[in-house]
Amino acid sequence: MVVLFEQKHDVGGQWLFDPDVEKEDPLGATKFMEVHSSIYNSLRLLSPREIMGYTDFPFLVKEGLGRDTRRFPGHRELWLYLKEFSVHFGVRELIRFNTRVEYVGMLEGNGVCGDLGNDLKWVVRSGKLDDDIISSGNGDVNDVDYDLSIDRVERNGEVVEEVFDAVVVGNGQYSYPQLPSIKGMKTWKRKQMHSHVYRVPQPFQNQVVVMVGNSLSAQDISMELAGVAKEVHISSRSQKNFMEGFSKVISKHEKLHLRPQIESLEEDGRVLFVDGSFVVADAILYCTGYKYSFPFLDTKGLVTVDDNRVGPLYHHTFPPLLAPSLSFVGIPRKATFPFFESQGKWVAQVLSGKRKLPSPDDMMRSVQEFYRQREADGIPKHETHDIIQFEYADKYADKTGFPHLEEWRKKMCLVALDNSDVHLETYRDSWDDEELLQEALQSPHFTQHIGPIIIST
């Protein structure tokens, strides 16, 4: 039996837009985040839709009321795609919506030794979050019969305790804010928030805003704030990393200003920078990324998060001492759906006995060698999982017999990145890869037959 736990009322994860951010701590200082999605209202895809889809379910243009037919559509269109995928393949029937996993741990009596991972069982405790929201997929645990079994179900009020043969962790990587450590941050009395809870620019009307960070989302948000704020000061540790496109944007908008790293925050509202300059700000918006967090998971210290390195994980997926009964999907950063598809298929093949993992010792040696190579290459620990390159994706696919990424997909991705670097404001609506687009649309990925999809929006 397979059960998927989903704390929200529908599929989509990060792409299920949640405008109700008032319930969330603005800096994410809670164990369990009330708001999972970090999507802001105006967000559009960074990549063209053609490279985003799963290998057996292309991200097609859909006509109709409320549909976004652009190549770089808004976030809602990708959510609708995921919803259609879940209907087409019958995934929704396996999902318990509005259900939060509170605890995952090894069943007592399973000591950690030898080839334990094959014999482990896992206790999972979960609770309903909102019974008023009715969604398909909230079936009884005996509705679907699969190989993975549940040994015991104990209901204690609204908390359900179950025992599973295996657990796959896939709670995402863009929900728990990563914050800098700045002198005076805890005593600064004015508005401070992480971009996790940013949705629209209107609350910053006529305000002086300091933005910390220079990620793509930070650049998106700064351009949006420039239309309403009095001033927007973008603070970054290094201004050498700004691409040509963003430099052009800053030169066009007199409200946008580049600033060095922040030295301290003063109680009178001043934000002091390391070059001695300062501004009196109304608000600080931290666009400083996210950290991995598994507040529900107890592995007795066998899997840890250290400086944003989740480990040890064999190829970012299996912890050697707990595999195959525990695995992680979605750890690598900046990956597209086909990579995670290959990762999910590998996990499924291992759990079903179709593929074998190396011994725990061999997996651990592989992890340590990977760490040594990253260190030799000068890559900091917190970037351990920033490994998505086409070559790595293809090598990973070889583990499962998964097809390599198509050449048109690789080229289209690089063209979009190059275009965004130079034409940040316009690249989503102006492109010059028509030949690649036609090659993609004529490839088996798009010409394979897919039956009609009927879904309400």
Side-chain angles (χ1 to χ4, degrees), residues 386-438:
D386 293 5
I387 47 79
I388 293 304
Q389 300 171 338
F390 298 136
E391 295 81 5
Y392 182 84
D394 287 343
K395 288 180 181 178
Y396 196 98
D398 289 339
K399 296 183 179 300
T400 65
F402 198 74
H404 287 188
L405 293 173
E406 304 94 331
E407 288 304 311
W408 62 259
R409 196 187 292 260
K410 298 174 183 178
K411 293 176 183 177
M412 193 175 285
C413 178
L414 294 176
V415 168
L417 287 173
D418 290 343
N419 198 14
S420 68
D421 287 346
V422 179
H423 306 291
L424 183 61
E425 285 188 291
T426 61
Y427 80 97
R428 292 181 177 95
D429 297 306
S430 177
W431 56 85
D432 58 359
D433 62 346
E434 187 63 31
E435 289 186 8
L436 273 177
L437 176 58
Q438 292 307 315

Side-chain angles (χ1 to χ4, degrees), residues 128-389:
K128 295 287 289 183
L129 292 180
D130 188 350
D131 287 327
D132 294 331
I133 299 177
I134 300 174
S135 302
S136 62
N138 287 326
D140 184 80
V141 294
N142 296 314
D143 282 351
V144 184
D145 186 16
Y146 275 75
D147 289 335
L148 296 182
S149 63
I150 299 173
D151 287 343
R152 184 179 73 247
V153 178
E154 294 182 359
R155 297 185 180 276
N156 179 18
E158 294 185 356
V159 176
V160 178
E161 180 176 302
E162 299 159 277
V163 177
F164 289 87
D165 294 321
V167 170
V168 181
V169 178
N171 65 325
Q173 52 178 271
Y174 296 110
S175 294
Y176 287 84
Q178 178 78 51
L179 292 169
S181 177
I182 299 175
K183 180 181 177 182
M185 188 173 172
K186 292 183 178 180
T187 57
W188 204 71
K189 302 301 183 183
R190 303 189 181 190
K191 182 192 299 183
Q192 295 186 78
M193 59 183 283
H194 191 273
S195 58
H196 171 63
V197 293
Y198 173 86
R199 293 297 181 267
V200 293
Q202 283 72 24
F204 300 91
Q205 186 79 35
N206 296 323
Q207 293 187 356
V208 176
V209 182
V210 173
M211 294 186 61
V212 183
N214 66 346
S215 64
L216 285 174
S217 61
Q219 295 173 18
D220 258 359
I221 294 171
S222 67
M223 290 188 289
E224 189 167 68
L225 288 178
V228 300
K230 182 178 180 181
E231 299 172 7
V232 180
H233 299 265
I234 305 157
S235 170
S236 176
R237 282 179 293 185
S238 174
Q239 297 183 13
K240 296 179 181 179
N241 296 328
F242 287 111
M243 297 299 181
E244 178 184 347
F246 193 50
S247 297
K248 290 180 181 177
V249 170
I250 292 174
S251 66
K252 286 173 54 180
H253 292 275
E254 61 180 18
K255 293 183 179 180
L256 294 179
H257 309 274
L258 286 182
R259 294 285 187 172
Q261 191 171 357
I262 295 175
E263 176 71 30
S264 65
L265 306 180
E266 303 298 316
E267 292 190 21
D268 61 2
R270 287 179 299 156
V271 178
L272 305 184
F273 301 99
V274 293
D275 63 354
S277 64
F278 72 89
V279 296
V280 178
D282 298 296
I284 299 176
L285 179 58
Y286 297 98
C287 300
T288 47
Y290 297 87
K291 61 186 178 183
Y292 296 99
S293 183
F294 313 98
F296 52 85
L297 183 60
D298 179 11
T299 65
K300 308 301 181 186
L302 294 178
V303 178
T304 61
V305 181
D306 178 18
D307 193 15
N308 232 23
R309 170 187 284 174
V310 185
L313 294 181
Y314 178 62
H315 288 287
H316 312 273
T317 307
F318 290 102
L321 291 179
L322 300 174
S325 68
L326 181 66
S327 58
F328 294 76
V329 170
I331 295 295
R333 294 190 182 274
K334 303 175 183 177
T336 56
F337 290 170
F339 178 86
F340 295 133
E341 183 181 356
S342 66
Q343 193 176 31
K345 288 191 174 183
W346 185 29
V347 171
Q349 290 172 355
V350 170
L351 290 179
S352 64
K354 294 179 180 178
R355 288 188 184 267
K356 299 292 185 182
L357 292 172
S359 70
D361 288 344
D362 286 344
M363 286 192 284
M364 191 66 79
R365 278 192 287 269
S366 175
V367 173
Q368 294 303 326
E369 176 57 33
F370 174 74
Y371 289 167
R372 284 192 291 270
Q373 187 59 55
R374 299 290 278 184
E375 184 176 356
D377 292 341
I379 299 171
K381 180 185 288 188
H382 68 265
E383 294 180 7
T384 294
H385 305 295
D386 293 5
I387 47 79
I388 293 304
Q389 300 171 338

Side-chain angles (χ1 to χ4, degrees), residues 5-193:
F5 295 93
E6 170 54 57
Q7 64 179 338
K8 298 303 179 183
H9 66 279
D10 209 338
V11 299
Q14 191 62 222
W15 298 98
L16 180 59
F17 179 65
D18 186 351
D20 184 15
V21 295
E22 297 301 321
K23 58 192 175 187
E24 188 67 273
D25 183 278
L27 295 177
T30 56
K31 179 179 179 180
F32 288 98
M33 303 297 291
E34 295 298 325
V35 176
H36 179 75
S37 174
S38 299
I39 298 294
Y40 43 95
N41 190 53
S42 64
L43 184 141
R44 291 175 64 184
L45 301 192
L46 299 174
S47 303
R49 68 165 69 229
E50 295 83 21
I51 70 173
M52 293 292 290
Y54 292 114
T55 58
D56 54 359
F57 197 79
F59 189 7
L60 301 171
V61 172
K62 297 294 181 66
E63 303 287 347
L65 183 65
R67 301 306 296 248
D68 190 340
T69 60
R70 296 173 295 181
R71 286 192 71 195
F72 294 77
H75 57 83
R76 183 176 182 271
E77 191 66 19
L78 183 53
W79 170 67
L80 288 173
Y81 165 79
L82 293 172
K83 192 170 182 178
E84 291 165 352
F85 177 92
S86 71
V87 170
H88 185 79
F89 290 104
V91 177
R92 297 181 70 87
E93 287 72 23
L94 307 177
I95 305 175
R96 297 185 197 165
F97 292 100
N98 307 309
T99 303
R100 172 182 287 164
V101 173
E102 307 284 351
Y103 173 82
V104 173
M106 291 173 274
L107 181 65
E108 288 187 17
N110 287 285
V112 177
C113 59
D115 194 24
L116 172 67
N118 288 313
D119 302 318
L120 270 177
K121 292 184 183 296
W122 294 86
V123 175
V124 177
R125 298 191 194 115
S126 61
K128 295 287 289 183
L129 292 180
D130 188 350
D131 287 327
D132 294 331
I133 299 177
I134 300 174
S135 302
S136 62
N138 287 326
D140 184 80
V141 294
N142 296 314
D143 282 351
V144 184
D145 186 16
Y146 275 75
D147 289 335
L148 296 182
S149 63
I150 299 173
D151 287 343
R152 184 179 73 247
V153 178
E154 294 182 359
R155 297 185 180 276
N156 179 18
E158 294 185 356
V159 176
V160 178
E161 180 176 302
E162 299 159 277
V163 177
F164 289 87
D165 294 321
V167 170
V168 181
V169 178
N171 65 325
Q173 52 178 271
Y174 296 110
S175 294
Y176 287 84
Q178 178 78 51
L179 292 169
S181 177
I182 299 175
K183 180 181 177 182
M185 188 173 172
K186 292 183 178 180
T187 57
W188 204 71
K189 302 301 183 183
R190 303 189 181 190
K191 182 192 299 183
Q192 295 186 78
M193 59 183 283

